[in-house]
């Protein structure tokens, strides 16, 4: 029996606010049985520390990632069960010799969640200043799926031009914009909606949000009965 060939999704986490989006996407990928290669930028470590209190360390990435994926969007620890991380590989942001830096390394595509405007600019201009940008550039040149979940508002003209350039290069530009028709009652519901849309764009099945079925009022909670 031949061993199954590992073909992961690369998840890139940039320095924009929105680390709960990345955690929800990672949980969704692992729940779907997908392999993951993870790249956490240097700037994102500061955001992760600020938003969750977790210091992401290269030498202890598995422990820190497990703690991160257990945490809810409201910051509460042990909100989720810790997923199995056996099929997760971590690559340091400064490791430009990492596997995903080459087009010959087999991957399904790349999801950048969240994507800062600096990250968007670097990818659009092909700068490859770190591994995250390099992998995005490789993803585009190999005509693989690239989803860019930009998290910034308002957007200036230069960033809009960069987003158009990414769209024209074949990327899927997906603003981190939650919807309310799914009946959100908690911040995690809004986070999961965005994460679910990222997984939709990647073609990965999930159950993170209630899908629109053409019925108005479907998300409305039932009225409380009274005397």
């Amino acid at each position: 029996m031949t061993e199954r060939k590992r073909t992961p999704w690369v998840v890139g986490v940039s320095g924009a606010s929105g680390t709960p989006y990345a955690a929800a996407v990672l949980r969704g990928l692992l729940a779907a049985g997908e392999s993951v290669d993870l790249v956490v930028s240097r700037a994102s470590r500061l955001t992760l520390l600020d938003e969750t209190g977790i210091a992401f360390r290269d030498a202890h990435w598995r422990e820190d990632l497990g703690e991160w994926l257990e945490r809810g969007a409201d910051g509460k620890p042990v909100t989720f069960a810790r997923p199995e991380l056996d099929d997760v590989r971590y690559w340091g942001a400064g490791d430009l010799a990492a596997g995903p830096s080459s087009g010959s390394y087999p991957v399904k595509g790349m999801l950048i969640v969240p994507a800062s405007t600096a990250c968007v600019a670097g990818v659009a201009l092909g700068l490859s200043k770190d591994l995250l940008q390099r992998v995005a550039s490789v993803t585009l040149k190999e005509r693989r799926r690239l989803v860019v979940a930009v998290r910034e508002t308002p957007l200036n003209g230069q960033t809009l031009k960069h987003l158009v350039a990414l769209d024209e290069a074949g990327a899927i530009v997906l603003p981190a914009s939650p919807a309310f028709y799914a009946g959100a009652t908690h911040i995690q519901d809004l986070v999961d909606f965005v994460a679910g849309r990222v997984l939709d764009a990647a073609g990965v099945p999930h159950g993170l949000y209630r899908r629109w079925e053409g019925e108005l009022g479907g998300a409305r909670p039932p009225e409380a009965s009274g005397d």
Side-chain angles (χ1 to χ4, degrees):
M1 181 180 293
T2 59
E3 184 179 353
R4 179 179 66 90
K5 183 178 181 181
R6 184 179 184 276
T7 310
W9 286 97
V10 180
V11 176
V13 187
S14 81
S17 176
T19 55
Y21 291 130
V25 167
L26 287 165
R27 285 192 296 267
L29 288 170
L30 295 175
E34 297 287 344
S35 303
V36 173
D37 277 22
L38 178 64
V39 181
V40 179
S41 76
R42 290 189 175 91
S44 71
R45 295 171 190 238
L46 298 176
T47 308
L48 183 62
L49 181 63
D50 185 54
E51 294 183 345
T52 70
I54 296 172
F56 197 92
R57 303 160 294 174
D58 284 346
H60 303 279
W61 70 267
R62 190 177 296 273
E63 174 187 345
D64 297 336
L65 177 60
E67 182 182 354
W68 180 21
L69 297 186
E70 288 179 330
R71 196 171 295 261
D74 58 2
K76 292 182 180 179
V78 201
T79 298
F80 297 95
R82 182 173 299 206
E84 293 291 335
L85 302 177
D86 293 341
D87 209 5
V88 177
R89 289 182 183 173
Y90 170 73
W91 304 95
D95 185 4
L96 292 178
S101 68
S102 171
S104 66
Y105 184 87
V107 303
K108 292 183 178 179
M110 183 179 191
L111 315 175
I112 305 179
V113 189
S116 66
T117 54
C119 172
V120 166
V123 176
L125 297 174
L127 297 182
S128 296
K129 72 176 184 66
D130 62 8
L131 181 61
L132 194 157
Q133 292 184 12
R134 170 61 185 168
V135 177
S137 179
V138 169
T139 302
L140 289 175
K141 81 179 182 66
E142 297 293 330
R143 302 297 190 265
R144 295 167 180 160
R145 191 166 304 190
L146 173 64
V147 181
V148 180
V150 60
R151 216 304 306 160
E152 186 60 87
T153 190
L155 297 172
N156 63 29
Q158 198 61 48
T159 298
L160 291 170
K161 291 176 182 176
H162 291 151
L163 293 173
V164 170
L166 288 178
D167 177 77
E168 291 176 343
I172 298 173
V173 175
L174 194 152
S177 178
F180 294 84
Y181 63 77
T185 59
H186 190 275
I187 185 175
Q188 188 67 53
D189 298 325
L190 299 176
V191 167
D192 284 348
F193 180 87
V194 172
R197 294 299 288 153
V198 171
L199 296 177
D200 286 344
V204 175
H206 65 87
L208 288 176
Y209 68 87
R210 172 188 174 273
R211 296 185 181 277
W212 175 252
E213 296 179 350
E215 297 180 6
L216 294 176
R220 188 178 304 153
E223 297 290 340
S225 59
D227 296 332

